[in-house]
Amino acid sequence: MLEGAKSIGAGAATIASAGAAVGIGNVLSSSIHSVARNPSLAKQSFGYAILGFALTEAIASFAPMMAFLISFVFRSQKEMYV
């Protein structure tokens, strides 16, 4: 029972990867729109785009970390004392 719940939890934690992909797409789309509207601010908006990419990728790196924690670190009381 616990192993099944751990698998479901680890799978749910990796769903954040899809959210990160959507977030990166939104950052890139907004960057392209802002440069198209005002090309003179391309360098400044590029810095903001890189910051957006970095923050979105940070969330994407937390997802597998949580999946590994759920799968391998958290154990039931029975497993700890056997």
Side-chain angles (χ1 to χ4, degrees):
M1 175 83 175
L2 182 64
E3 290 299 318
K6 283 170 57 173
S7 297
I8 291 171
T14 57
I15 291 176
S17 300
V22 171
I24 289 173
N26 285 339
V27 168
L28 182 62
S29 172
S30 297
S31 176
I32 290 171
H33 283 291
S34 68
V35 170
R37 287 177 182 251
N38 195 352
S40 65
L41 293 177
K43 286 188 178 186
Q44 184 180 4
S45 67
F46 180 74
Y48 290 135
I50 293 298
L51 179 65
F53 284 131
L55 294 175
T56 307
E57 283 296 321
I59 297 298
S61 66
F62 288 141
M65 181 180 67
M66 290 309 296
F68 285 130
L69 281 173
I70 290 169
S71 297
F72 300 116
V73 175
F74 298 131
R75 292 190 244 176
S76 68
Q77 298 292 34
K78 286 182 186 177
E79 291 177 359
M80 292 176 78
Y81 297 116
V82 173

